[in-house]
Amino acid sequence: MIYLVRACFSEYEGCVLDTDKESPHLLRVASHYAEAQGGVWVAERQGTVVGSVACRPAAGAGILELQLLYVAASERRKGLATTLVGLVEAEAVHRGLQGVELWTDTRFLDAHRLYEGLGYRRLPGWRALEDLSDSLEYHFVKGAEAGLGAKRPV
């Protein structure tokens, strides 16, 4: 999975993956999300991870936070990201939660279009992570009123 995240980051100038200090959870993804009462899913093709998504309870009550949505360049625009987002939404519904939120780098324009196309609403403003990548992130949310957990064609 680290290879997938690193490959996705390499598409953007200045995006740096530091598993030692900034993203040590990538060294132990399954146990990290289990300890956080979350979940993680990966998609494989011929033994190689080509997609991932994770979730965990968000700071706000009744919300699940979507994290680690990455899809290999060779697998994009085939519905995989939509399917992975759907897994997180289904988990939120299964848990009886009211919505899903996520934070995404301002540089990830294709991801923004995906989320908006799936009914997510971008909230005003952004946050600065003060990390090696100088990341700024937008906040997106989706609640039951926007069809959370609705069946989508695959």
Side-chain angles (χ1 to χ4, degrees):
M1 186 161 151
I2 292 171
Y3 175 81
L4 172 64
V5 176
R6 184 167 280 122
C8 291
F9 275 26
S10 73
E11 297 175 31
Y12 300 91
E13 188 173 337
C15 271
V16 177
L17 180 61
D18 176 4
T19 56
D20 291 330
K21 294 182 181 144
E22 293 183 348
S23 300
H25 62 283
L26 291 177
L27 300 173
R28 48 187 284 295
V29 173
S31 59
H32 171 80
Y33 282 94
E35 291 165 8
Q37 299 174 347
V40 62
W41 297 265
V42 297
E44 293 183 351
R45 184 170 309 284
Q46 299 176 335
T48 300
V49 174
V50 296
S52 68
V53 72
C55 65
R56 62 185 298 157
I63 303 288
L64 203 59
E65 183 174 354
L66 184 150
Q67 298 180 336
L68 297 183
L69 180 66
Y70 296 102
V71 174
S74 63
E75 300 298 319
R76 293 184 191 148
R77 300 192 190 347
K78 298 178 182 178
L80 179 55
T82 297
T83 298
L84 292 168
V85 171
L87 292 170
V88 172
E89 291 181 5
E91 181 67 16
V93 170
H94 174 75
R95 293 183 185 204
L97 301 176
Q98 300 302 307
V100 173
E101 73 172 3
L102 62 98
W103 291 87
T104 181
D105 194 291
T106 58
R107 294 171 275 203
F108 298 171
L109 301 179
D110 287 340
H112 306 162
R113 284 188 287 276
L114 170 75
Y115 297 131
E116 289 167 348
L118 294 175
Y120 285 78
R121 182 174 46 92
R122 190 174 117 192
L123 299 179
W126 47 267
R127 72 178 180 185
L129 294 187
E130 299 182 16
D131 60 0
L132 293 174
S133 301
D134 291 323
S135 299
L136 301 176
E137 292 185 324
Y138 293 138
H139 192 195
F140 285 80
V141 296
K142 182 176 182 181
E145 76 286 348
L148 182 67
K151 298 281 186 198
R152 291 188 199 88
V154 177

